[in-house]
């Protein structure tokens, strides 16, 4: 039985002409759709905004219809949603959480069912429903996974890239698994690209000892114009949300991956993605991260970037004309 997302359980009243910086949204992802000549933005919460110019947005709209009889249950939480156009359809990659299902315990904490999954639609505005004849489970049911993204390699093989969460393995990883050609399921077993502890810039203090942070968050795969393969991903520098970058030494998804020494974006910005505007300019979408009396305030932002060389260079916040 299909049902609307958890967001649909509360009254959603779409608004028109909302400035980007007035929207509260974690993990923003923007699809620049050349078919409809529109921009579509989604993220955590599973809602959708649309815009003609990136500056002003209409929304939010409920666009997901999950299967209440599946492992997700009737009201799953939705995190870090992405929309990718692939072979004539729009695919919705997201993290779904069923807080009523416990898959195990780690360090005395219960681990609820949280996993990456894919929905599909013929229209960018949805509705997004389970892939027909698809696997009910894309990844092993006993794994805590999140923040899935999509990549097609030079051979044309589609891949899901995601995080195996640190709350289960105590050292978060960025992993890959190959998808079926129609994205209806996965092929083979997942393999790890890199671990959080390999980062030279992320740090935390435990029992007075400074060490590499254990969190991996928000991977996104890209190529520079010279063909160099990279992944942006987010962690922490103590209490500061921070995004870094790694590059593949082989130029292939299998790596090995070398972490860059310094973060790629300013402090308190992260979970980024890259897209080309309808005019051909490359931008990065991220959210700012601010703690106000224990409440996280997250707002989407756009950064101008330079990818003409061998490395991704973030130039500064994008200024609307």
């Amino acid at each position: 039985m299909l049902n609307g997302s958890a967001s649909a359980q509360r009254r959603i009243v779409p608004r028109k002409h909302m400035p980007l910086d007035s929207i509260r949204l974690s993990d923003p992802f923007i699809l620049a759709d050349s078919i409809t000549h529109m921009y579509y933005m989604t993220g955590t919460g599973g809602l959708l905004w649309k815009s003609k110019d990136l500056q002003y947005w209409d929304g939010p709209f409920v666009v997901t219809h999950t299967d209440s009889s599946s492992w997700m249950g009737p009201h799953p939480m939705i995190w870090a949603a992405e929309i990718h156009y692939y072979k004539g359809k729009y695919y919705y990659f997201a993290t779904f959480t069923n807080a009523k299902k416990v898959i195990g315990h780690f360090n005395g904490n219960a681990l609820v069912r949280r996993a990456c999954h894919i929905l599909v639609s013929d229209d960018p505005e949805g509705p997004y429903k389970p892939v027909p004849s698809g696997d009910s489970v894309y990844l092993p049911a006993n794994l805590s996974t999140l923040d899935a993204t999509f990549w097609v390699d030079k051979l044309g093989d589609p891949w899901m890239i995601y995080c195996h969460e640190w709350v289960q393995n105590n050292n978060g990883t960025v992993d890959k698994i190959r998808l079926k050609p129609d994205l209806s399921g996965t092929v083979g077993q997942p393999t790890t690209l890199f671990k959080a502890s390999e980062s030279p810039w992320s740090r935390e203090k435990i029992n007075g000892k400074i060490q590499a942070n254990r969190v991996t968050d928000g991977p996104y795969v890209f190529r520079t114009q010279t063909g160099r393969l990279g992944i942006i991903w987010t962690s922490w520098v103590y209490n500061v949300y921070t995004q870094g970058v790694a590059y593949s030494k082989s130029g292939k998804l299998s790596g090995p991956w070398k972490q860059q020494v310094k973060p790629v974006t300013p402090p308190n910005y992260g979970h980024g993605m890259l897209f080309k505007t309808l005019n051909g300019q490359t931008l990065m979408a991220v959210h700012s991260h601010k703690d106000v009396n224990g409440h996280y305030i997250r707002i989407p932002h756009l950064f101008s970037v330079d990818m003409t060389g061998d490395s991704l260079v973030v130039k500064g916040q994008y200024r609307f004309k």
Side-chain angles (χ1 to χ4, degrees):
M1 178 180 175
L2 294 180
N3 62 277
S5 70
S7 300
Q9 305 309 310
R10 66 181 189 273
R11 188 166 180 258
I12 302 296
V13 181
R15 296 168 55 191
K16 290 185 177 295
H17 214 60
M18 297 173 63
L20 181 64
D21 61 7
S22 72
I23 297 172
R24 300 295 181 261
L25 179 65
S26 301
D27 317 325
F29 185 95
I30 295 177
L31 171 70
D33 188 47
S34 60
I35 298 174
T36 60
H37 302 286
M38 293 285 291
Y39 297 99
Y40 300 95
M41 181 171 66
T42 186
T44 288
L47 301 174
L48 183 78
W49 287 259
K50 58 184 180 179
S51 171
K52 293 182 178 180
D53 60 8
L54 292 173
Q55 185 173 6
Y56 297 102
W57 297 80
D58 295 345
F61 306 99
V62 175
V63 295
T64 57
H65 292 267
T66 55
D67 183 355
S68 61
S69 65
S70 74
W71 62 267
M72 295 182 192
H75 308 304
M77 290 183 283
I78 302 176
W79 292 357
E82 301 187 358
I83 298 173
H84 296 269
Y85 183 73
Y86 179 69
K87 293 186 175 180
K89 293 183 180 295
Y90 297 86
Y91 289 89
Y92 189 95
F93 286 64
T95 303
F96 296 88
T97 300
N98 183 345
K100 293 186 177 181
K101 281 186 175 290
V102 175
I103 63 171
H105 293 79
F106 188 81
N107 285 342
N109 297 316
L111 301 176
V112 299
R113 185 71 188 276
R114 177 177 299 131
C116 304
H117 204 78
I118 305 173
L119 309 179
V120 66
S121 176
D122 292 323
D123 189 286
E125 297 185 35
Y128 290 91
K129 301 177 181 179
V131 177
S133 303
D135 291 348
S136 61
V137 177
Y138 279 77
L139 293 164
N142 63 337
L143 297 184
S144 290
T145 61
L146 75 168
D147 293 355
T149 190
F150 183 49
W151 181 251
V152 180
D153 65 21
K154 287 185 175 180
L155 298 177
D157 291 327
W159 296 84
M160 179 190 285
I161 318 299
Y162 63 94
C163 295
H164 183 191
E165 200 169 12
W166 72 278
V167 297
Q168 185 176 48
N169 61 20
N170 206 40
N171 188 4
T173 60
V174 171
D175 296 352
K176 68 177 175 70
I177 191 167
R178 189 155 65 91
L179 294 165
K180 294 178 181 179
D182 62 357
L183 310 193
S184 63
T186 53
V187 179
Q189 297 298 312
T191 57
T192 294
L193 302 183
F194 57 82
K195 299 178 180 180
S197 60
E198 296 171 18
S199 164
W201 53 265
S202 65
R203 288 290 179 267
E204 66 179 341
K205 183 182 287 187
I206 298 180
N207 298 324
K209 181 181 178 181
I210 296 174
Q211 62 185 46
N213 198 284
R214 296 164 292 161
V215 174
T216 50
D217 182 83
Y220 186 84
V221 188
F222 67 94
R223 282 195 188 274
T224 67
Q225 290 185 26
T226 63
R228 193 180 188 193
L229 187 67
I231 293 179
I232 49 176
W233 65 286
T234 302
S235 189
W236 295 82
V237 180
Y238 304 111
N239 64 338
V240 179
Y241 195 63
T242 307
Q243 182 174 245
V245 62
Y247 292 101
S248 171
K249 291 183 178 181
S250 67
K252 298 179 180 179
L253 193 57
S254 56
W257 289 86
K258 181 176 177 57
Q259 303 293 330
Q260 299 302 285
V261 174
K262 295 182 179 180
V264 72
T265 44
N268 284 315
Y269 291 91
H271 201 113
M273 57 82 59
L274 298 158
F275 69 100
K276 280 193 175 183
T277 68
L278 296 174
N279 294 324
Q281 182 179 2
T282 302
L283 299 179
M284 175 187 286
V286 296
H287 73 251
S288 58
H289 185 97
K290 186 177 182 180
D291 187 343
V292 179
N293 297 323
H295 296 282
Y296 289 136
I297 306 299
R298 293 164 175 158
I299 300 172
H301 298 266
L302 300 177
F303 279 84
S304 297
V305 299
D306 183 357
M307 296 178 63
T308 58
D310 218 26
S311 300
L312 168 67
V313 178
V314 177
K315 306 295 288 185
Q317 290 210 41
Y318 178 70
R319 302 299 178 189
F320 294 105
K321 296 178 180 180

